[in-house]
């Protein structure tokens, strides 16, 4: 069985391997997501943040929507989980290059 829980505070939990695979496929291929690494520690915060920002709800798998928090402005939702970001981002970069 693969890893289904991400983040030291369990920010992201997938209910099954199939749900995780659907989410990864979406995160790797969607053009409605921005992966952003914010160096917040440089402005006095305790650490940098790795975020996945969603600009549309259309076609977003339920396993991602269930795990996101509210967005601001054009961002409809976001996931702040460095562990998930670190696993998905290299796959996304390879797919988009």
């Amino acid at each position: 069985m693969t890893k289904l829980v991400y983040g030291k505070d369990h920010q992201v939990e997938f209910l099954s391997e199939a749900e995780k695979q659907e989410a990864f496929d979406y995160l790797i291929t969607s053009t409605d997501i921005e992966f952003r690494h914010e160096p917040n520690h440089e402005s006095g915060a305790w650490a940098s943040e790795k975020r996945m920002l969603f600009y549309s709800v259309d076609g977003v798998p339920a396993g991602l929507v269930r795990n996101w928090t509210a967005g601001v402005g054009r961002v409809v939702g976001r996931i702040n989980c460095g562990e998930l970001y670190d696993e998905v981002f290299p796959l996304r970069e390879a797919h988009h290059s």
Side-chain angles (χ1 to χ4, degrees), residues 1-2 10-11 14 17 19 23 25 27-28 31 38 47 59 63 67 71-72 79 84-86 91:
M1 180 178 257
T2 64
H10 299 232
Q11 291 97 317
F14 297 110
E17 290 185 39
E19 183 180 78
D25 290 345
L27 290 170
I28 291 166
T31 58
E38 299 175 351
N67 285 292
V72 177
I79 294 177
L84 180 62
Y85 180 108
D86 288 343
L91 301 171

Side-chain angles (χ1 to χ4, degrees), residues 4 19-20 22 47 58 73 83:
L4 297 177
E19 183 180 78
K20 176 184 172 177
E22 179 184 34
D58 295 339
E83 186 178 19

Side-chain angles (χ1 to χ4, degrees), residues 90-97:
L91 301 171
R92 181 177 172 84
E93 287 293 289
H95 181 269
H96 289 276
S97 59

Side-chain angles (χ1 to χ4, degrees), residues 10-59:
H10 299 232
Q11 291 97 317
V12 176
E13 296 185 35
F14 297 110
L15 302 179
S16 67
E17 290 185 39
E19 183 180 78
K20 176 184 172 177
Q21 187 60 56
E22 179 184 34
F24 270 51
D25 290 345
Y26 182 83
L27 290 170
I28 291 166
T29 62
S30 177
T31 58
D32 287 331
I33 302 172
E34 177 185 354
F35 281 66
R36 185 183 297 169
H37 185 201
E38 299 175 351
N40 295 343
H41 62 287
E42 294 174 3
S43 63
W46 68 274
S48 64
E49 292 283 342
K50 293 179 177 176
R51 307 179 194 275
M52 290 163 271
L53 307 175
F54 296 79
Y55 290 99
S56 173
V57 297
D58 295 339

